[in-house]
Amino acid sequence: MSNEVAILGVGMHPWGKWGKNFVEYGVKAAQDALADAGLDWQDVQFVAGGDTIRNGYPGYVAGATFAQALGWQGAQVASSYGACASGSQAIATARAQILAGLCDVALVVGADTTPKGFFAPTGGGDRSKDPDWLRFRLVGATNPVYFGLWARRRMELFGATEEDFAKVKVKNSRHGAKNPNARYPKAFTMEEVLASPMVSDPLRLLQICATSDGGAALILTSMEFARKHTANPVTIPAVSNVTPKYPNTLIEMPNFSTDSGAGISVPDVPFRPSIAKNAYEQAGLGPEDMDLAEVYDLSSALELDWYEIIGLCKEGEAERLVRDGDTAVGGRIPVNTSGGLGAFGEAIPAQAIAQVCELTWQLRGEAGGRQVEGAKLGITANYGLFGHGSSVIVKR
Amino acid sequence: MSKTPTPAVEGWFTLDRKAPHLLGTRCTSCSNVFFPKETTFCRNPACTGSEFEEVELSRTGRLWSFTNNCYAPPEPYQAADPFEPYAIAAVELEQERMVIMGQVVGGVGVEDLEAGMEMELVLDTLYEDDENEYLVWKWQPSQAAA
């Protein structure tokens, strides 16, 4: 049995700080995806929305919000929230509906409007039982604090340098400069990156992803439906939304501590690598089969962790990949050809969907100046705060 | 008049100013330790335990990693004005095999820290209001080792 569904259409609203309602971004992305698929909104039988927690009630019920904005037509609906993994959960929901034979055409859509500055807990009041509130209250542990801890750990373990982290940003900014949907279409120099203000040592402002407005959408269909429209569709053979296995021994947002690894066997495969491993196993593929990857560079240092997590190299070897240019367009295994979060900033419920949009354009040969020649297989990887794995394999 | 020392969060640490400990719980069935306290169901998937005893965690450990806040974190953090950057440490407790995050005491910056160094737990002011001095746990390089 095939586990594949087709990506018949993709669409995005450019990332930025537009100050509009998130619904507008999602509708624009959905309309572009429908036009790309050559389908009408009335053809959609299932709507899977990625939720935004920052935009009130319409954000919490994003699936229906977008369905209403596009015009109620009676489609089935679901809404997903998994922090940064919200988009891939929406993809997984739509895919399962299609594979179960419950529908042929699904719209997956996520969009966000974000505040300026650090992400902080939503809502007010004293929430002394909520770890996401407490981490800010007691430690001031912003997201970049966790990124900084992970980055410093790489320096201590593997001898990574500030220059290595800056190289990642420079590479991604060159990719982003060729992407019309990127928020920052500027190719930064090493000097500019290393002269930007320190935020959470060793990470500087230009090495930490911003918070952005944006929207992304996919039209997913059954393979049978897709073949009536195109001879060679881009497909999704795997979606991984794994949770960690106990004990999780890496400190993760929003936690104060790891699980205790005392007196208990620790999983052979830690949480982060298990995300990609599960996707590869579903697809019957491995990292050696991949032509490119879109990974979650919340910080430029974290991109190096991802090289190892998705199996592009062994632990401790990621710095060499970026130093040698392996992960730049034209290199052995280009990573974040879209420009990544460094060039986009994060629009939480849209971001995992946007990763799939980029791979789809790449596999169709429609990525313009950032095109990876002859790309046939790519992987996205990401994870949502608290323990939401997110990885999608895209194939042609 | 001096302010009343008050924990910024109830029941997370002892109020012994000389040698404070973080307070966790241990599952009475499988002995796994939790911080912050788990009090309802054991999180070990192989254990169905639902009874816990309070335990004092080790008050020293090795520095696993560290960073700092060069800018004031947003609320609900109660930032001093003017804001003074401060370091944050993730410290690995050997016996518990657990990494725990906390602020580093004032006056110790990232330039004073190195992974692997021994750190100890102290209590320090998180913020104050008119009546109370709110206390939180912080890490500092071990004085005994220094």
Side-chain angles (χ1 to χ4, degrees):
Chain A
M1 188 193 99
S2 167
N3 279 332
E4 292 181 31
V5 297
I7 304 170
L8 207 55
V10 294
M12 284 171 69
H13 184 289
W15 264 227
K17 217 67 168 177
W18 310 111
K20 297 179 188 168
N21 190 313
F22 77 101
V23 181
E24 190 174 326
Y25 311 141
V27 167
K28 194 268 182 191
Q31 288 173 338
D32 282 6
L34 284 163
D36 187 43
L39 296 181
D40 187 88
W41 159 235
Q42 305 267 13
D43 298 324
V44 172
Q45 299 157 317
F46 185 85
V47 179
D51 295 353
T52 157
I53 61 168
R54 284 166 216 286
N55 290 285
Y57 180 73
Y60 289 107
V61 294
T65 297
F66 295 124
Q68 182 192 40
L70 287 157
W72 293 125
Q73 44 86 322
Q76 306 259 356
V77 68
S79 297
S80 300
Y81 187 72
C84 308
S86 303
S88 67
Q89 290 188 4
I91 293 170
T93 305
R95 173 174 176 255
Q97 290 280 326
I98 294 165
L99 291 179
L102 298 174
C103 72
D104 278 315
V105 182
L107 166 68
V108 180
V109 54
D112 212 352
T113 302
T114 53
K116 194 176 184 307
F118 290 112
F119 279 136
T122 53
D126 187 324
R127 303 217 310 266
S128 59
K129 302 290 182 199
D130 177 350
D132 198 41
W133 188 87
L134 284 168
R135 65 162 165 139
F136 283 91
R137 179 68 156 202
L138 300 177
V139 181
T142 62
N143 293 0
V145 161
Y146 291 84
F147 310 157
L149 291 174
W150 299 331
R152 172 63 61 181
R153 184 73 180 161
R154 272 207 83 79
M155 297 171 95
E156 299 288 342
L157 278 183
F158 306 128
T161 64
E162 270 207 72
E163 286 72 23
D164 292 327
F165 303 154
K167 282 194 176 90
V168 172
K169 171 67 181 189
V170 167
K171 167 188 75 78
N172 288 348
S173 75
R174 285 180 187 154
H175 296 167
K178 294 176 178 164
N179 189 340
N181 287 311
R183 176 176 171 191
Y184 303 106
K186 171 182 160 61
F188 286 95
T189 64
M190 288 290 283
E191 292 69 29
E192 286 169 319
V193 176
L194 292 171
S196 67
M198 193 68 84
V199 175
S200 283
D201 185 278
L203 297 173
R204 296 172 182 277
L205 187 63
L206 287 175
Q207 295 169 323
I208 293 171
C209 102
T211 63
S212 290
D213 297 2
L218 308 172
I219 300 296
L220 300 185
T221 75
S222 64
M223 292 303 294
E224 192 183 3
F225 184 94
R227 287 200 184 96
K228 290 178 198 157
H229 290 77
T230 175
N232 188 15
V234 173
T235 71
I236 294 179
V239 181
S240 163
N241 286 138
V242 294
T243 51
K245 287 185 178 174
Y246 185 85
N248 186 4
T249 55
L250 182 68
I251 193 153
E252 304 278 10
M253 295 180 282
N255 300 336
F256 288 92
S257 71
T258 63
D259 292 333
S260 167
I264 187 168
S265 60
V266 171
D268 292 341
V269 182
F271 174 49
R272 288 170 163 187
S274 77
I275 299 167
K277 182 170 185 282
N278 181 268
Y280 288 135
E281 283 171 359
Q282 285 184 39
L285 297 165
E288 65 283 0
D289 300 312
M290 297 299 122
D291 299 308
L292 77 167
E294 285 284 307
V295 303
Y296 231 52
D297 55 323
L298 291 166
S299 82
S300 52
L302 186 62
E303 178 167 316
L304 298 174
D305 288 355
W306 282 114
Y307 294 174
E308 297 161 6
I309 295 163
I310 67 172
L312 303 186
C313 62
K314 294 195 185 108
E315 211 173 50
E317 293 181 354
E319 285 73 18
R320 189 172 52 76
L321 262 60
V322 75
R323 286 173 198 158
D324 292 352
D326 286 3
T327 53
V329 169
R332 178 173 68 82
I333 173 79
V335 175
N336 283 336
T337 57
S338 67
L341 297 180
F344 273 72
E346 187 180 19
I348 293 175
Q351 211 70 42
I353 301 169
Q355 290 182 318
V356 174
C357 291
E358 174 65 10
L359 291 187
T360 303
W361 281 316
Q362 287 283 355
L363 269 51
R364 289 182 185 163
E366 296 172 357
R370 60 186 197 282
Q371 181 65 45
V372 176
E373 291 308 320
K376 299 285 179 204
L377 276 165
I379 184 169
T380 75
N382 147 12
Y383 69 104
L385 165 130
F386 197 78
H388 294 97
S390 166
S391 178
V392 180
I393 291 179
V394 182
K395 177 181 165 186
R396 191 169 196 195
Chain B
M1 200 183 94
S2 68
K3 295 182 180 182
T4 309
T6 307
V9 61
E10 203 60 50
W12 283 35
F13 44 84
T14 64
L15 290 172
D16 175 356
R17 293 299 286 260
K18 278 193 176 151
H21 289 266
L22 290 170
L23 290 170
T25 54
R26 180 190 288 127
C27 172
T28 58
S29 300
C30 74
S31 299
N32 265 244
V33 172
F34 301 95
F35 176 82
K37 291 172 181 174
E38 182 57 67
T39 57
T40 47
F41 301 102
C42 183
R43 298 211 307 262
N44 175 358
C47 177
T48 57
S50 59
E51 299 203 355
F52 299 86
E53 56 191 3
E54 187 176 273
V55 287
E56 292 187 350
L57 303 186
S58 308
R59 56 178 306 280
T60 60
R62 297 279 166 194
L63 186 57
W64 181 84
S65 190
F66 55 94
T67 183
N68 62 3
N69 270 328
C70 299
Y71 294 89
E75 288 190 350
Y77 188 76
Q78 306 291 298
D81 186 18
F83 175 74
E84 285 285 333
Y86 63 93
I88 290 167
V91 174
E92 187 162 26
L93 309 183
E94 189 180 5
Q95 190 188 326
E96 292 83 356
R97 292 188 60 194
M98 180 183 261
V99 173
I100 298 182
M101 185 173 64
Q103 295 190 27
V104 176
V105 293
V108 178
V110 289
E111 62 283 357
D112 303 313
L113 299 172
E114 195 178 334
M117 69 195 288
E118 189 177 280
M119 303 289 282
E120 70 178 337
L121 197 81
V122 295
L123 296 186
D124 196 10
T125 308
L126 180 64
Y127 64 99
E128 295 177 293
D129 59 20
D130 290 343
E131 291 92 40
N132 299 299
E133 176 200 10
Y134 293 93
L135 298 175
V136 76
W137 78 92
K138 292 186 185 179
W139 295 109
Q140 72 177 17
S142 280
Q143 301 300 301

